[in-house]
Amino acid sequence: MRTTVATLAGAVLLTGGLAACSSEPAPPSAPQTQAVKPVAETDVAAPAASGDQPKGITYDVTRIPLGAKLSTGSSVANGQTTVELKVSGLLPNTKYGSHVHTKPCGAKPADSGPHYQNEKDPVSPSVDPKYANAQNEIWLDFTTDAQGAATGTATVKWEFRKGEANAVIVHAAHTSTEHGKAGTAGDRLACLTAAF
């Protein structure tokens, strides 16, 4: 009799436990990442002859046609920064480089200044891989799909200094990591003013 009662009690507990498990929502499998907040989005235009410049500029209408769209956003959580760049209307199946730069877009490609660096290289232009690397800068290289669209994303273990990161540049090639060429990615093809 004692064995039957114990077995019956065990069965009741087991059934109750299963019922409790099935009514509870499943715990999340991974922590939620913070959503990327929009910073800037626009269609690119030609540089203005004088005065204020467009928010998005193409310096090479063959490789970044007028009307191509650039948008960027970022998120900060636990001392880490994620930056995302979305593009559309570019050349299909093409490799591009991209980085966050220090100054807003200007009429000339060089107006946006150097790459933003968490630890600044005392030598400019910076081509030393100690400073010009994907952990010390924001590299957003991408390859477009058949429709000319792509997304580049980078996450680093630091936050931007206020007022020092002001544009995203699209370059002609993926970024080099080679000593003496580190951080270079060919011509500056387009610029999106984006105050991070």
Side-chain angles (χ1 to χ4, degrees):
M1 180 73 178
R2 200 179 275 171
T3 305
T4 308
V5 171
T7 305
L8 186 59
V12 169
L13 285 171
L14 181 60
T15 306
L18 288 173
C21 286
S22 63
S23 65
E24 292 292 318
S29 57
Q32 294 291 322
T33 55
Q34 190 159 337
V36 171
K37 294 177 185 163
V39 174
E41 178 176 353
T42 193
D43 294 349
V44 297
S50 62
D52 291 343
Q53 293 298 319
K55 184 184 262 187
I57 299 173
T58 177
Y59 304 111
D60 186 326
V61 295
T62 302
R63 292 185 278 184
I64 310 266
L66 292 170
K69 181 170 275 188
L70 306 178
S71 66
T72 190
S74 68
S75 68
V76 177
N78 304 317
Q80 292 196 143
T81 301
T82 297
V83 178
E84 180 180 82
L85 172 68
K86 291 186 176 182
V87 302
S88 60
L90 277 60
L91 297 179
N93 306 310
T94 303
K95 292 179 179 180
Y96 293 89
S98 182
H99 314 109
V100 172
H101 284 243
T102 58
K103 297 179 181 176
C105 306
K108 296 176 185 170
D111 290 346
S112 57
H115 295 178
Y116 179 93
Q117 294 183 324
N118 183 48
E119 184 183 349
K120 292 182 183 178
D121 188 342
V123 177
S124 186
S126 179
V127 291
D128 181 346
K130 177 182 175 186
Y131 299 96
N133 63 66
Q135 290 75 48
N136 194 45
E137 300 181 347
I138 300 289
W139 293 6
L140 300 160
D141 292 3
F142 59 88
T143 302
T144 54
D145 63 15
Q147 286 73 48
T151 300
T153 305
T155 300
V156 291
K157 295 178 179 178
W158 42 265
E159 298 178 26
F160 288 120
R161 292 179 296 276
K162 190 168 177 61
E164 293 189 33
N166 291 290
V168 176
I169 291 284
V170 178
H171 291 267
H174 278 182
T175 310
S176 175
T177 56
E178 191 180 328
H179 192 77
K181 294 183 180 178
T184 61
D187 293 342
R188 299 183 186 197
L189 304 181
C191 182
L192 174 62
T193 294
F196 294 99

